[in-house]
Amino acid sequence: MHHVFPSCRHKDLLLQELVSLSAEEVYTILCLPAMSQEHVLTSPLSEGTSFRTCVQQLASTLKHVDTFYNSIGGLLGYHRKCLQIMLERTDQQTAVLSQTAEEVTFHMPRGPDLAGPQGRQLAAESAAAGLEALPHMAEIYPLGGAGDRLGLKCEHTGEGLPVAVLPYCGRPLLESLIRDVQAREYLYFKLHGVQQMTPIAIMTSDAKDNHRRVTEFITQCDWFGRGKESFRLFRQPLVPLVSAADGKWLVPQGLAPILKPGGHGAIWKLMLDEGIFSWMYQHDREAAIVRQISNPMAGTDATLLSLSGAGYADSRSFGFASCPRVVGAAEGMNVLLERKVRQPDGRVEHAYNVTNVEYTEFEKQGICDVPAAPGSQYSCFPANTNVLYVGLKAAELAVRAGVESGGGAALPGMILNTSKTTTYTDAHSGQERSVPAGRMECTMQNLVDSLAQHFQEAVPSQRHGELNTFVVYNQRSRVTSSAKRKRPPGSLKIHQTPDGSFLDLQRNARDMLLRCGCDVPQLPEVKDYLDHGPSFIFLFHPSLGPLWDVVAQKVQGGSLAAKSEMVVEVAEACLRQVHVDGSLRLHADNVMGGTEQALAVNYNQIRSRHDLQLRQRSSRMLWHGEVLSGSTAGGHSSGQTLPLHEELGNIVGNGVVEGTRPHREDQVQGQRLVYSKRCGRVVLDNVTVQNRGVDWAHAGNIYWQHKVHRHESCSIFLHGRSEFAASNVSLEGNQTFNVPDGFKMTVSAGPNGVIRQTLERLQAEPSWQWKYTMGTDKNIQLHMEEASSVHQCNAMASDMPPLSYII
């Protein structure tokens, strides 16, 4: 083997270490000279670096690359593809089009527009379909990106941090995504009385210690009360940066080339390799929402529910949430691709699918980035936002076919972008170099290119909206406003920065409050915003809605004065004619319910879920206009509903009813968040809040982090299951109200303007609650049930044994 490494300065040491490696790892090391990358082995190591550790890390990394890219020849195939793309200056998508398509046409995709004239009713109908689909939906988060453009650093160590922990609005971005999921589940719970637990698959990477940090964060949050079994974390491989000049890997020190994640398109094959598709099927999931960590806006109002409703109701395979795109923006376009394909027997087929074209590929694809109309700032095609709907079975079959064919959906949309300059210190010369370089990346949204539908004749344009791939349109700020790059000091360019995202968040808040009949000040222009902050701050827990039409029934009238702050971390709120001039903060420890031991949770929920499944099968068939005895709607497989005793047995073991120990207890350990009436509630009726509020001149304010200094604030803290009520009163100055668990605090105006407080113990039931019903027009209606009617409903059900009787 000596002849393989003739110039390796560590040859003897390397040969000794190869003995300790696996055969697969040795193979990848031997690939380096074959790829003319022996400089990875010959470059000097940094002082104090362990040679053994470096060899093991390099071999492990290369093995992961070799395994993941096995469909194109492993590590050797990956490097060959990089060189091929560099030489051809084209990508796989262009090559495929030139080889198989006789004629390519790009159409404007047709789809429902939630921002159009009929948008509110369309949103209500599609959101209702999305709620119907919720028990069959999963969530997929690609978190593996390095996030270099944010420049996020640990305050203590100075180490680079992943985007997932960016402290947006006072909490890591990942937590915001989980809150959005919980809000939709809570809305479902309020309508049906059954808690759903959406499985969440998260793709991480080792970039910036991403996997460890994300795992530790979720663990520290006790899996957000959802249980470890409702999450699956899996790592994408890191790939080497390749110099655009000569195809050499960039090596700042021996045995350690510069590595970056290979693009979010790796997610589909990883889901196949890691069994994620099968795991989701085990949870009875048939489709999923995919969203990126850097975009906290996708959960706004009806966007995600409408997307899942539009896809699931018609058993579609892939969908995009889209919005207007500004001409010249560095973002992709959604287009409807039509290809005339000549088959070997001479027949001509018309293939259609909505797809994404990256902005770097416009020229290659013959797309001109021009306005939709003369003088318009928006382009002729809408923006790709990477907020996606995916049918799991269609995706899995496409990926399997791609693995067999050596590309396609296994590695969708392969591109090599070497236009960016990488600065590093060269290990051989010791000098700093800045060179154009890149790595081969896959784009997850281009999985859709393997899901085209083929027709013998052209599909009329008026029927383009009926295809298996689709778009749902909405106002841009309600679909995307990402926080993916750091704003340079003094710059007014806030697009895709945390500053710009927070401004859009407040624009959305203003639109929602106006729908509630609340008076809200205009937001400032960008320079004034950056210099002096927003004209107001309004933040709320998404479970207050998440649909704005639900929020508008909880918040009615009132006003938010200029330079005021209002935070509502409460789901069960009734705010009528609340006028804030200063700062008002409402916080419930239990926003949507309390925590219970997981074993009790399973018993208490399984019976009501069992009954609901029977009702859902009937209602779902009626939704599609089918007879109840027919097959499942839309081609989905609902399976058979098990008898109650069998379902309990499958969850925790057949011996539980008799008091024996369950044999699957390890799957249901720990605390679980249980949606219930055991939450904080607040009623403010004709209440004025006046104080000095936020110190807007404080130099330490970071508004997008909701890191602000205050002169005064009115704060209401609801601990456990507690309530706060105030009416016809003015709360002035610095005020703090702490309501203990199990109590109701009532605040009213006494003589001479003195504030009176009374504290009384709550009964077993809350004094009031919101009753949710679905109207015939698919709009959700709220009705406040007072304690007397609540008790009457409970009395009617008192003849039923408690659901906890099995324990």
Side-chain angles (χ1 to χ4, degrees):
M1 192 178 289
H2 285 262
H3 69 279
V4 179
F5 308 107
S7 61
C8 180
R9 68 176 67 200
H10 314 294
K11 179 170 58 179
D12 293 335
L13 284 174
L14 180 59
L15 293 177
Q16 293 175 18
E17 294 303 328
L18 290 181
V19 177
S20 64
L21 301 178
S22 67
E24 295 86 355
E25 292 172 330
V26 172
Y27 165 76
T28 61
I29 295 294
L30 296 178
C31 284
L32 293 173
M35 296 184 297
S36 299
Q37 306 296 335
E38 60 272 8
H39 64 292
V40 176
L41 303 172
T42 61
S43 299
L45 272 67
S46 298
E47 186 177 348
T49 302
S50 167
F51 183 82
R52 169 170 291 184
T53 301
C54 288
V55 170
Q56 292 174 344
Q57 289 179 346
L58 175 63
S60 176
T61 297
L62 297 182
K63 178 185 174 183
H64 290 155
V65 175
D66 190 63
T67 299
F68 178 75
Y69 290 97
N70 55 12
S71 64
I72 59 171
L75 179 62
L76 290 173
Y78 168 83
H79 188 66
R80 178 180 179 274
K81 189 64 182 178
C82 288
L83 297 179
Q84 177 186 342
I85 295 177
M86 290 172 62
L87 291 172
E88 296 177 354
R89 294 298 174 184
T90 184
D91 60 22
Q92 186 187 41
Q93 182 182 16
T94 305
V96 169
L97 291 179
S98 63
Q99 292 169 11
T100 63
E102 294 186 351
E103 182 180 340
V104 174
T105 307
F106 296 108
H107 303 278
M108 177 71 176
R110 287 177 174 261
D113 185 359
L114 308 187
Q118 307 298 321
R120 283 187 66 174
Q121 184 56 35
L122 280 174
E125 293 171 1
S126 54
L131 280 171
E132 180 79 7
L134 190 141
H136 309 282
M137 298 295 299
E139 297 262 323
I140 302 172
Y141 303 151
L143 306 190
D148 292 331
R149 291 175 290 179
L150 264 177
L152 195 59
K153 303 286 185 182
C154 176
E155 295 180 356
H156 305 293
T157 66
E159 296 176 344
L161 296 176
V163 182
V165 299
L166 181 77
Y168 186 84
C169 291
R171 62 187 57 84
L173 276 174
L174 178 56
E175 184 177 348
S176 296
L177 268 63
I178 302 297
R179 282 159 57 106
D180 285 344
V181 175
Q182 292 173 332
R184 297 194 298 278
E185 292 172 344
Y186 186 70
L187 179 61
Y188 185 92
F189 167 77
K190 294 293 289 185
L191 278 167
H192 297 292
V194 173
Q195 177 167 346
Q196 297 292 337
M197 190 69 72
T198 305
I200 300 173
I202 300 177
M203 182 179 72
T204 65
S205 75
D206 287 322
K208 297 184 179 179
D209 214 7
N210 177 304
H211 182 79
R212 180 186 65 82
R213 291 183 183 276
V214 169
T215 302
E216 286 183 355
F217 171 65
I218 298 176
T219 304
Q220 290 167 0
C221 295
D222 196 17
W223 303 92
F224 300 100
R226 306 176 68 80
K228 184 177 180 179
E229 66 275 6
S230 67
F231 288 87
R232 281 291 300 271
L233 276 66
F234 54 105
R235 277 182 276 198
Q236 72 177 117
L238 301 181
V239 296
L241 282 188
V242 179
S243 169
D246 54 13
K248 295 288 188 181
W249 296 1
L250 307 189
V251 182
Q253 68 176 40
L255 304 175
I258 299 177
L259 303 169
K260 296 289 183 182
H264 45 52
I267 198 166
W268 307 118
K269 185 171 184 293
L270 281 172
M271 286 178 62
L272 183 65
D273 292 345
E274 299 292 332
I276 306 300
F277 285 112
S278 298
W279 173 72
M280 289 182 172
Y281 300 149
Q282 291 168 7
H283 285 77
D284 297 323
R285 305 296 147 156
E286 301 168 20
I289 288 293
V290 186
R291 58 182 297 195
Q292 290 186 283
I293 188 66
S294 59
N295 177 17
M297 224 61 64
T300 302
D301 194 15
T303 297
L304 293 182
L305 282 173
S306 296
L307 181 64
S308 57
Y312 188 80
D314 293 323
S315 304
R316 287 165 147 178
S317 60
F318 206 94
F320 298 81
S322 191
C323 61
R325 176 187 174 276
V326 175
V327 174
E331 61 186 9
M333 292 177 176
N334 285 146
V335 301
L336 173 59
L337 173 65
E338 178 187 0
R339 292 179 292 142
K340 286 185 180 179
V341 183
R342 185 174 296 278
Q343 299 300 314
D345 60 2
R347 290 183 301 107
V348 175
E349 287 188 352
H350 297 259
Y352 293 86
N353 66 277
V354 177
T355 189
N356 162 70
V357 180
E358 288 296 327
Y359 69 95
T360 55
E361 310 301 307
F362 289 169
E363 184 177 351
K364 295 176 185 177
Q365 300 291 357
I367 295 177
C368 296
D369 190 5
V370 296
S376 173
Q377 63 173 321
Y378 295 111
S379 67
C380 54
F381 291 108
N384 174 63
T385 67
N386 276 345
V387 180
L388 310 172
Y389 168 95
V390 59
L392 295 175
K393 184 55 69 174
E396 183 193 12
L397 293 175
V399 174
R400 288 188 182 277
V403 170
E404 293 178 3
S405 64
L411 300 169
M414 283 191 288
I415 59 174
L416 182 70
N417 183 4
T418 56
S419 62
K420 297 180 180 178
T421 300
T422 299
T423 301
Y424 74 107
T425 301
D426 183 74
H428 272 290
S429 65
Q431 297 179 347
E432 185 175 281
R433 299 182 62 195
S434 294
V435 298
R439 78 276 195 191
M440 191 168 70
E441 298 181 79
C442 303
T443 51
M444 63 181 179
Q445 61 273 23
N446 285 102
L447 170 73
V448 73
D449 293 326
S450 298
L451 301 172
Q453 288 175 282
H454 294 256
F455 301 89
Q456 293 182 355
E457 297 180 351
V459 176
S461 60
Q462 62 268 26
R463 302 199 64 181
H464 284 175
E466 302 173 23
L467 294 170
N468 208 29
T469 56
F470 66 99
V471 294
V472 174
Y473 295 104
N474 205 344
Q475 185 175 312
R476 184 178 179 89
S477 64
R478 300 177 194 176
V479 180
T480 182
S481 185
S482 58
K484 62 171 63 174
R485 66 178 77 239
K486 186 177 182 180
R487 181 177 64 89
S491 173
L492 298 181
K493 296 181 179 179
I494 62 174
H495 179 59
Q496 294 187 336
T497 69
D499 300 285
S501 180
F502 185 75
L503 182 58
D504 281 334
L505 185 73
Q506 296 310 291
R507 286 170 175 152
N508 287 339
R510 185 175 188 274
D511 290 344
M512 185 188 74
L513 290 173
L514 291 175
R515 186 177 296 189
C516 297
C518 180
D519 291 332
V520 195
Q522 289 279 357
L523 283 156
E525 296 298 321
V526 171
K527 187 177 188 309
D528 190 24
Y529 160 68
L530 294 175
D531 291 342
H532 307 292
S535 51
F536 65 90
I537 295 174
F538 184 87
L539 301 172
F540 65 100
H541 195 288
S543 61
L544 186 68
L547 302 179
W548 287 4
D549 284 342
V550 171
V551 177
Q553 296 175 74
K554 296 180 179 181
V555 180
Q556 298 182 358
S559 63
L560 195 60
K563 294 299 183 182
S564 291
E565 172 196 36
M566 187 171 179
V567 180
V568 184
E569 284 290 307
V570 184
E572 298 299 298
C574 179
L575 310 178
R576 297 174 182 147
Q577 296 302 325
V578 177
H579 302 272
V580 179
D581 185 0
S583 172
L584 172 63
R585 293 181 292 165
L586 311 175
H587 178 88
D589 292 342
N590 295 356
V591 178
M592 298 165 286
T595 57
E596 296 181 17
Q597 284 296 324
L599 202 57
V601 171
N602 275 273
Y603 291 136
N604 284 313
Q605 292 178 357
I606 192 66
R607 191 171 146 185
S608 57
R609 183 182 293 121
H610 177 271
D611 292 339
L612 181 71
Q613 286 174 346
L614 296 176
R615 296 199 303 270
Q616 280 183 328
R617 289 186 65 193
S618 298
S619 63
R620 191 163 157 203
M621 291 174 183
L622 288 172
W623 183 281
H624 294 276
E626 298 185 9
V627 293
L628 299 185
S629 59
S631 60
T632 307
H636 297 296
S637 175
S638 64
Q640 298 295 319
T641 303
L642 292 174
L644 178 60
H645 70 279
E646 289 186 23
E647 192 165 0
L648 287 169
N650 286 343
I651 295 294
V652 291
N654 291 324
V656 174
V657 176
E658 289 76 21
T660 58
R661 183 179 178 81
H663 65 272
R664 294 178 63 187
E665 183 181 7
D666 59 314
Q667 296 189 17
V668 290
Q669 289 180 342
Q671 295 286 316
R672 297 291 185 275
L673 170 62
V674 179
Y675 304 145
S676 68
K677 303 172 186 176
R678 300 184 60 81
C679 56
R681 300 169 192 275
V682 60
V683 175
L684 301 180
D685 191 357
N686 193 27
V687 172
T688 299
V689 175
Q690 192 167 25
N691 54 58
R692 295 171 63 200
V694 172
D695 180 2
W696 297 91
H698 198 286
N701 290 344
I702 305 177
Y703 298 107
W704 63 265
Q705 292 186 16
H706 196 218
K707 185 178 179 181
V708 297
H709 296 258
R710 301 175 182 85
H711 294 297
E712 294 177 327
S713 181
C714 177
S715 304
I716 300 172
F717 296 100
L718 302 164
H719 301 289
R721 184 180 71 94
S722 59
E723 299 182 17
F724 182 91
S727 60
N728 303 313
V729 66
S730 179
L731 305 177
E732 299 180 359
N734 205 40
Q735 301 263 10
T736 301
F737 301 94
N738 278 287
V739 189
D741 183 15
F743 284 84
K744 177 180 180 179
M745 179 181 290
T746 302
V747 172
S748 58
N752 301 320
V754 176
I755 299 298
R756 280 191 308 205
Q757 298 181 30
T758 60
L759 198 64
E760 59 180 315
R761 186 174 294 277
L762 287 170
Q763 301 298 315
E765 295 292 325
S767 65
W768 66 273
Q769 63 177 317
W770 288 117
K771 179 70 174 178
Y772 289 48
T773 56
M774 181 69 73
T776 55
D777 59 354
K778 302 303 178 184
N779 281 282
I780 297 175
Q781 304 297 326
L782 270 61
H783 169 69
M784 179 181 280
E785 284 189 342
E786 304 288 349
S788 57
S789 59
V790 172
H791 291 158
Q792 183 178 3
C793 291
N794 291 334
M796 293 172 62
S798 61
D799 58 331
M800 295 181 61
L803 294 181
S804 58
Y805 78 105
I806 304 174
I807 298 177

PDB file of all heavy atoms in Angstrom, residues 382-402:
ATOM      1  N   PRO A 382     -44.408  33.841  -9.463  1.00  0.00           N
ATOM      2  CA  PRO A 382     -44.389  34.043  -8.003  1.00  0.00           C
ATOM      3  C   PRO A 382     -43.129  33.450  -7.363  1.00  0.00           C
ATOM      4  O   PRO A 382     -42.362  32.727  -7.994  1.00  0.00           O
ATOM      5  CB  PRO A 382     -45.648  33.298  -7.542  1.00  0.00           C
ATOM      6  CG  PRO A 382     -45.824  32.210  -8.557  1.00  0.00           C
ATOM      7  CD  PRO A 382     -45.378  32.800  -9.868  1.00  0.00           C
ATOM      8  N   ALA A 383     -42.971  33.748  -6.081  1.00  0.00           N
ATOM      9  CA  ALA A 383     -41.764  33.354  -5.350  1.00  0.00           C
ATOM     10  C   ALA A 383     -41.869  31.929  -4.833  1.00  0.00           C
ATOM     11  O   ALA A 383     -42.935  31.481  -4.403  1.00  0.00           O
ATOM     12  CB  ALA A 383     -41.529  34.307  -4.177  1.00  0.00           C
ATOM     13  N   ASN A 384     -40.742  31.242  -4.855  1.00  0.00           N
ATOM     14  CA  ASN A 384     -40.628  29.974  -4.141  1.00  0.00           C
ATOM     15  C   ASN A 384     -40.225  30.282  -2.704  1.00  0.00           C
ATOM     16  O   ASN A 384     -39.207  30.933  -2.462  1.00  0.00           O
ATOM     17  CB  ASN A 384     -39.577  29.074  -4.790  1.00  0.00           C
ATOM     18  CG  ASN A 384     -39.344  27.822  -3.964  1.00  0.00           C
ATOM     19  OD1 ASN A 384     -40.241  27.011  -3.781  1.00  0.00           O
ATOM     20  ND2 ASN A 384     -38.139  27.676  -3.434  1.00  0.00           N
ATOM     21  N   THR A 385     -41.017  29.825  -1.752  1.00  0.00           N
ATOM     22  CA  THR A 385     -40.773  30.139  -0.340  1.00  0.00           C
ATOM     23  C   THR A 385     -40.258  28.950   0.463  1.00  0.00           C
ATOM     24  O   THR A 385     -39.907  29.101   1.627  1.00  0.00           O
ATOM     25  CB  THR A 385     -42.075  30.633   0.326  1.00  0.00           C
ATOM     26  OG1 THR A 385     -43.029  29.549   0.378  1.00  0.00           O
ATOM     27  CG2 THR A 385     -42.669  31.800  -0.432  1.00  0.00           C
ATOM     28  N   ASN A 386     -40.226  27.773  -0.149  1.00  0.00           N
ATOM     29  CA  ASN A 386     -39.854  26.538   0.555  1.00  0.00           C
ATOM     30  C   ASN A 386     -40.766  26.237   1.736  1.00  0.00           C
ATOM     31  O   ASN A 386     -40.341  25.651   2.732  1.00  0.00           O
ATOM     32  CB  ASN A 386     -38.390  26.561   0.994  1.00  0.00           C
ATOM     33  CG  ASN A 386     -37.459  26.129  -0.121  1.00  0.00           C
ATOM     34  OD1 ASN A 386     -37.907  25.556  -1.123  1.00  0.00           O
ATOM     35  ND2 ASN A 386     -36.172  26.408   0.025  1.00  0.00           N
ATOM     36  N   VAL A 387     -42.019  26.663   1.632  1.00  0.00           N
ATOM     37  CA  VAL A 387     -43.082  26.194   2.521  1.00  0.00           C
ATOM     38  C   VAL A 387     -43.869  25.199   1.686  1.00  0.00           C
ATOM     39  O   VAL A 387     -44.546  25.572   0.727  1.00  0.00           O
ATOM     40  CB  VAL A 387     -43.966  27.352   3.008  1.00  0.00           C
ATOM     41  CG1 VAL A 387     -45.057  26.833   3.933  1.00  0.00           C
ATOM     42  CG2 VAL A 387     -43.125  28.413   3.705  1.00  0.00           C
ATOM     43  N   LEU A 388     -43.775  23.921   2.050  1.00  0.00           N
ATOM     44  CA  LEU A 388     -44.177  22.859   1.141  1.00  0.00           C
ATOM     45  C   LEU A 388     -45.176  21.902   1.777  1.00  0.00           C
ATOM     46  O   LEU A 388     -45.193  21.709   2.991  1.00  0.00           O
ATOM     47  CB  LEU A 388     -42.947  22.042   0.695  1.00  0.00           C
ATOM     48  CG  LEU A 388     -41.745  22.828   0.170  1.00  0.00           C
ATOM     49  CD1 LEU A 388     -40.567  21.891  -0.032  1.00  0.00           C
ATOM     50  CD2 LEU A 388     -42.091  23.541  -1.118  1.00  0.00           C
ATOM     51  N   TYR A 389     -45.978  21.289   0.909  1.00  0.00           N
ATOM     52  CA  TYR A 389     -46.814  20.140   1.257  1.00  0.00           C
ATOM     53  C   TYR A 389     -46.272  18.950   0.478  1.00  0.00           C
ATOM     54  O   TYR A 389     -45.957  19.071  -0.716  1.00  0.00           O
ATOM     55  CB  TYR A 389     -48.277  20.391   0.866  1.00  0.00           C
ATOM     56  CG  TYR A 389     -49.155  19.158   0.929  1.00  0.00           C
ATOM     57  CD1 TYR A 389     -49.907  18.884   2.069  1.00  0.00           C
ATOM     58  CD2 TYR A 389     -49.237  18.268  -0.140  1.00  0.00           C
ATOM     59  CE1 TYR A 389     -50.715  17.749   2.132  1.00  0.00           C
ATOM     60  CE2 TYR A 389     -50.030  17.137  -0.081  1.00  0.00           C
ATOM     61  CZ  TYR A 389     -50.771  16.887   1.054  1.00  0.00           C
ATOM     62  OH  TYR A 389     -51.560  15.763   1.122  1.00  0.00           O
ATOM     63  N   VAL A 390     -46.173  17.785   1.124  1.00  0.00           N
ATOM     64  CA  VAL A 390     -45.680  16.606   0.422  1.00  0.00           C
ATOM     65  C   VAL A 390     -46.505  15.389   0.813  1.00  0.00           C
ATOM     66  O   VAL A 390     -46.761  15.154   2.003  1.00  0.00           O
ATOM     67  CB  VAL A 390     -44.182  16.366   0.700  1.00  0.00           C
ATOM     68  CG1 VAL A 390     -43.911  16.191   2.186  1.00  0.00           C
ATOM     69  CG2 VAL A 390     -43.654  15.157  -0.083  1.00  0.00           C
ATOM     70  N   GLY A 391     -46.989  14.663  -0.186  1.00  0.00           N
ATOM     71  CA  GLY A 391     -47.619  13.375   0.046  1.00  0.00           C
ATOM     72  C   GLY A 391     -46.532  12.342   0.285  1.00  0.00           C
ATOM     73  O   GLY A 391     -45.655  12.146  -0.557  1.00  0.00           O
ATOM     74  N   LEU A 392     -46.551  11.681   1.421  1.00  0.00           N
ATOM     75  CA  LEU A 392     -45.430  10.845   1.832  1.00  0.00           C
ATOM     76  C   LEU A 392     -45.222   9.648   0.919  1.00  0.00           C
ATOM     77  O   LEU A 392     -44.091   9.313   0.559  1.00  0.00           O
ATOM     78  CB  LEU A 392     -45.633  10.390   3.274  1.00  0.00           C
ATOM     79  CG  LEU A 392     -45.608  11.512   4.324  1.00  0.00           C
ATOM     80  CD1 LEU A 392     -45.942  10.960   5.708  1.00  0.00           C
ATOM     81  CD2 LEU A 392     -44.245  12.195   4.347  1.00  0.00           C
ATOM     82  N   LYS A 393     -46.293   8.975   0.562  1.00  0.00           N
ATOM     83  CA  LYS A 393     -46.138   7.781  -0.268  1.00  0.00           C
ATOM     84  C   LYS A 393     -45.608   8.150  -1.652  1.00  0.00           C
ATOM     85  O   LYS A 393     -44.729   7.453  -2.196  1.00  0.00           O
ATOM     86  CB  LYS A 393     -47.470   7.035  -0.385  1.00  0.00           C
ATOM     87  CG  LYS A 393     -47.384   5.731  -1.158  1.00  0.00           C
ATOM     88  CD  LYS A 393     -46.328   4.777  -0.588  1.00  0.00           C
ATOM     89  CE  LYS A 393     -46.719   4.240   0.774  1.00  0.00           C
ATOM     90  NZ  LYS A 393     -45.727   3.209   1.239  1.00  0.00           N
ATOM     91  N   ALA A 394     -46.118   9.224  -2.235  1.00  0.00           N
ATOM     92  CA  ALA A 394     -45.627   9.657  -3.544  1.00  0.00           C
ATOM     93  C   ALA A 394     -44.153  10.012  -3.466  1.00  0.00           C
ATOM     94  O   ALA A 394     -43.368   9.672  -4.361  1.00  0.00           O
ATOM     95  CB  ALA A 394     -46.436  10.853  -4.044  1.00  0.00           C
ATOM     96  N   ALA A 395     -43.754  10.701  -2.391  1.00  0.00           N
ATOM     97  CA  ALA A 395     -42.358  11.084  -2.229  1.00  0.00           C
ATOM     98  C   ALA A 395     -41.473   9.858  -2.059  1.00  0.00           C
ATOM     99  O   ALA A 395     -40.404   9.746  -2.682  1.00  0.00           O
ATOM    100  CB  ALA A 395     -42.213  12.014  -1.027  1.00  0.00           C
ATOM    101  N   GLU A 396     -41.908   8.918  -1.228  1.00  0.00           N
ATOM    102  CA  GLU A 396     -41.095   7.728  -0.986  1.00  0.00           C
ATOM    103  C   GLU A 396     -40.888   6.926  -2.270  1.00  0.00           C
ATOM    104  O   GLU A 396     -39.765   6.486  -2.581  1.00  0.00           O
ATOM    105  CB  GLU A 396     -41.738   6.842   0.079  1.00  0.00           C
ATOM    106  CG  GLU A 396     -40.889   5.622   0.411  1.00  0.00           C
ATOM    107  CD  GLU A 396     -41.638   4.575   1.215  1.00  0.00           C
ATOM    108  OE1 GLU A 396     -42.877   4.673   1.333  1.00  0.00           O
ATOM    109  OE2 GLU A 396     -40.982   3.642   1.706  1.00  0.00           O
ATOM    110  N   LEU A 397     -41.953   6.721  -3.028  1.00  0.00           N
ATOM    111  CA  LEU A 397     -41.831   5.958  -4.275  1.00  0.00           C
ATOM    112  C   LEU A 397     -40.896   6.660  -5.258  1.00  0.00           C
ATOM    113  O   LEU A 397     -40.107   6.004  -5.950  1.00  0.00           O
ATOM    114  CB  LEU A 397     -43.212   5.758  -4.894  1.00  0.00           C
ATOM    115  CG  LEU A 397     -44.177   4.853  -4.108  1.00  0.00           C
ATOM    116  CD1 LEU A 397     -45.554   4.846  -4.766  1.00  0.00           C
ATOM    117  CD2 LEU A 397     -43.627   3.437  -3.994  1.00  0.00           C
ATOM    118  N   ALA A 398     -40.982   7.987  -5.309  1.00  0.00           N
ATOM    119  CA  ALA A 398     -40.110   8.736  -6.215  1.00  0.00           C
ATOM    120  C   ALA A 398     -38.651   8.618  -5.793  1.00  0.00           C
ATOM    121  O   ALA A 398     -37.754   8.473  -6.631  1.00  0.00           O
ATOM    122  CB  ALA A 398     -40.534  10.200  -6.264  1.00  0.00           C
ATOM    123  N   VAL A 399     -38.396   8.670  -4.486  1.00  0.00           N
ATOM    124  CA  VAL A 399     -37.019   8.556  -3.993  1.00  0.00           C
ATOM    125  C   VAL A 399     -36.476   7.156  -4.274  1.00  0.00           C
ATOM    126  O   VAL A 399     -35.319   6.994  -4.700  1.00  0.00           O
ATOM    127  CB  VAL A 399     -36.945   8.885  -2.490  1.00  0.00           C
ATOM    128  CG1 VAL A 399     -35.538   8.634  -1.949  1.00  0.00           C
ATOM    129  CG2 VAL A 399     -37.334  10.339  -2.245  1.00  0.00           C
ATOM    130  N   ARG A 400     -37.283   6.141  -4.041  1.00  0.00           N
ATOM    131  CA  ARG A 400     -36.828   4.775  -4.320  1.00  0.00           C
ATOM    132  C   ARG A 400     -36.484   4.612  -5.804  1.00  0.00           C
ATOM    133  O   ARG A 400     -35.474   3.991  -6.156  1.00  0.00           O
ATOM    134  CB  ARG A 400     -37.904   3.771  -3.912  1.00  0.00           C
ATOM    135  CG  ARG A 400     -38.070   3.624  -2.402  1.00  0.00           C
ATOM    136  CD  ARG A 400     -38.999   2.474  -2.061  1.00  0.00           C
ATOM    137  NE  ARG A 400     -39.198   2.370  -0.625  1.00  0.00           N
ATOM    138  CZ  ARG A 400     -38.355   1.748   0.205  1.00  0.00           C
ATOM    139  NH1 ARG A 400     -37.257   1.180  -0.285  1.00  0.00           N
ATOM    140  NH2 ARG A 400     -38.616   1.692   1.492  1.00  0.00           N
ATOM    141  N   ALA A 401     -37.314   5.180  -6.655  1.00  0.00           N
ATOM    142  CA  ALA A 401     -37.028   5.110  -8.095  1.00  0.00           C
ATOM    143  C   ALA A 401     -35.756   5.872  -8.427  1.00  0.00           C
ATOM    144  O   ALA A 401     -34.952   5.441  -9.270  1.00  0.00           O
ATOM    145  CB  ALA A 401     -38.208   5.667  -8.893  1.00  0.00           C
ATOM    146  N   GLY A 402     -35.534   6.998  -7.739  1.00  0.00           N
ATOM    147  CA  GLY A 402     -34.321   7.774  -7.969  1.00  0.00           C
ATOM    148  C   GLY A 402     -33.070   7.039  -7.538  1.00  0.00           C
ATOM    149  O   GLY A 402     -32.023   7.120  -8.198  1.00  0.00           O
TER     150      GLY A 402
END
